[in-house]
Amino acid sequence: MNPHSLIRKTLYGMTLTMLPICLLSFYVTVTSASVHGERYIGPVVRVMGIIGQQQCVRECRHRPKLCRGVNYRKQELLCELVSAINETEQKPGYVRIELDQSANITQHCVSCSADEMCITLSSKKVHCIADSDSPADCTSLHNNNCGLPSGLYRIKLPFLGHVTAFCDMDTDGGGWTVFQKRQDGSKDFYRTWTEYKNGFGNLRSEFWLGNENLHHLLSQGTYKMRMDMEDFDNQTRYVKYTSFNVGDESSKYTVTLTGFSGNVGDCFTNATIAKVINNMKFSTWDQDNDLFTRNCAAQSTSGWWHNSCNCANPNGLYLAGETTLNNQGVTYHPWRDKFYSLKSTRLMVRRVA
């Protein structure tokens, strides 16, 4: 067993007697500010279960470039390391602890990346140890850590590395990675191909996660998709699909989905509607890949998997209810038709295999 493996095992709770070396803490003692009944919104960059509060703080100190504070829930022995501490929320059962990490970024730790732990041995020699076991998606986080709240978490995607995602841990069993959200019209969704590719918006309000992120996320297994909708009468509807996939950019991010269920009509795969999105390429106003004679993205003021054109327009203009504009709002035709712009939409995926 190499020294790095031994160090990693020590960090996660194995007894020191199992090792030929000891780990000593050379961190400068800094007063930690703690507040009970609150939680940092984050993003959460690491989640650890079955761990004490003092060890949770130590885990943060081992990551001086990444961790700014911790959320700890004693009942579940749940530790969340966060990279931002500027926003908080009320959460009974939690304690949030702010750490001043400036003293811990020593000359030796400067060489460690944000994805590495900075460990000092009894010999006073510093090692940068790879911080492994990053979750692949919100499903992994949910399955491995009981009771996590919905919010911002760091996940690791193939080829792209770490990205921050909004995880819905409450709806329909939880574990959903959200890739689209509309709720107040605070963001403009009439964007270019490059913007839809890379993603845009605010993960805590309105956003598109990005087609490139979505493709690599879905490449990790089999995912189901769910779309939730709400109107201005506070009515809600949803649709679900047992299989959902998005190709790479060379395919123009072609979408495939099957296995409809829900409490409103299907307009994504129902062939009788003739405007299904299944097997459609993504289109924006500056890259027209639809089947219509005109540019559907420009006509519907949205980036989407347009056919000729669509029977749903979740990335359309936020027109807040009844409108005279034909299919330019946030629409879902089988429910509130093309002259009604919905209050909110949320599209998300969960891995099933």
Side-chain angles (χ1 to χ4, degrees):
M1 182 178 294
N2 61 54
H4 286 188
S5 298
L6 293 174
I7 294 165
R8 188 176 293 111
K9 288 187 176 181
T10 302
L11 291 173
Y12 289 94
M14 296 190 68
T15 60
L16 293 175
T17 56
M18 297 178 65
L19 300 174
I21 57 175
C22 304
L23 291 178
L24 299 179
S25 176
F26 289 95
Y27 293 119
V28 176
T29 301
V30 179
T31 301
S32 301
S34 62
V35 178
H36 290 265
E38 291 187 3
R39 174 182 179 272
Y40 292 117
I41 291 174
V44 175
V45 293
R46 283 300 300 268
V47 178
M48 301 172 185
I50 318 300
I51 185 173
Q53 182 173 315
Q54 290 184 351
Q55 181 62 29
C56 181
V57 170
R58 282 194 292 270
E59 293 291 348
C60 183
R61 294 203 188 284
H62 283 310
R63 301 163 174 84
K65 286 189 176 180
L66 180 66
C67 185
R68 295 290 312 282
V70 305
N71 299 319
Y72 188 74
R73 196 162 66 193
K74 184 176 180 180
Q75 184 175 352
E76 287 85 9
L77 301 178
L78 184 66
C79 171
E80 302 171 5
L81 309 186
V82 299
S83 60
I85 56 174
N86 54 311
E87 294 183 278
T88 63
E89 61 182 352
Q90 299 291 320
K91 277 291 180 182
Y94 269 93
V95 58
R96 62 173 176 86
I97 305 171
E98 177 183 351
L99 284 87
D100 181 358
Q101 292 280 50
S102 58
N104 292 332
I105 305 182
T106 64
Q107 179 180 355
H108 299 291
C109 286
V110 168
S111 62
C112 298
S113 73
D115 295 327
E116 294 178 317
M117 297 180 289
C118 182
I119 306 301
T120 305
L121 304 181
S122 57
S123 63
K124 297 187 180 181
K125 186 175 181 180
V126 172
H127 284 264
C128 299
I129 307 298
D131 201 358
S132 58
D133 302 324
S134 294
D137 52 26
C138 298
T139 311
S140 299
L141 277 165
H142 180 266
N143 291 346
N144 295 331
N145 303 277
C146 178
L148 282 176
S150 297
L152 304 182
Y153 294 88
R154 192 175 76 151
I155 61 176
K156 190 173 185 179
L157 301 181
F159 302 104
L160 300 181
H162 289 110
V163 301
T164 300
F166 187 92
C167 297
D168 184 330
M169 301 300 196
D170 302 306
T171 304
D172 192 14
W176 298 93
T177 306
V178 182
F179 68 89
Q180 187 263 20
K181 195 175 184 183
R182 306 295 301 276
Q183 64 180 35
D184 56 17
S186 59
K187 297 298 177 183
D188 178 14
F189 276 66
Y190 191 40
R191 303 276 187 141
T192 65
W193 177 267
T194 300
E195 289 174 300
Y196 269 100
K197 172 185 175 178
N198 296 329
F200 57 84
N202 184 335
L203 289 171
R204 295 196 58 227
S205 58
E206 296 197 330
F207 67 90
W208 181 262
L209 184 61
N211 290 335
E212 197 68 12
N213 289 333
L214 186 56
H215 162 68
H216 287 290
L217 170 68
L218 299 174
S219 71
Q220 300 178 104
T222 301
Y223 286 77
K224 63 173 60 176
M225 189 272 279
R226 177 179 173 118
M227 177 179 176
D228 286 277
M229 300 165 274
E230 183 181 9
D231 67 12
F232 284 89
D233 297 320
N234 298 320
Q235 299 181 82
T236 60
R237 297 290 189 274
Y238 76 90
V239 293
K240 286 199 297 185
Y241 297 86
T242 57
S243 176
F244 180 78
N245 193 50
V246 173
D248 61 16
E249 188 173 18
S250 67
S251 77
K252 306 299 182 183
Y253 300 114
T254 294
V255 65
T256 55
L257 68 170
T258 58
F260 165 78
S261 64
N263 60 3
V264 68
D266 169 29
C267 90
F268 291 159
T269 63
N270 185 352
T272 62
I273 295 178
K275 294 181 180 179
V276 299
I277 70 169
N278 190 37
N279 293 318
M280 289 299 105
K281 299 174 181 178
F282 202 86
S283 288
T284 56
W285 66 262
D286 62 337
Q287 188 164 148
D288 183 7
N289 298 312
D290 60 56
L291 303 181
F292 198 44
T293 54
R294 296 192 295 273
N295 186 332
C296 286
Q299 183 170 305
S300 300
T301 60
S302 69
W304 187 244
W305 292 284
H306 293 291
N307 188 319
S308 59
C309 283
N310 58 66
C311 70
N313 194 34
N315 291 337
L317 300 176
Y318 196 84
L319 300 176
E322 299 288 348
T323 177
T324 58
L325 297 179
N326 184 353
N327 198 40
Q328 292 188 45
V330 182
T331 61
Y332 191 83
H333 302 186
W335 183 23
R336 295 302 304 259
D337 75 47
K338 58 188 177 180
F339 292 102
Y340 186 95
S341 187
L342 298 171
K343 179 181 180 180
S344 69
T345 64
R346 184 173 66 244
L347 288 95
M348 50 195 184
V349 293
R350 182 170 67 193
R351 182 161 40 87
V352 294

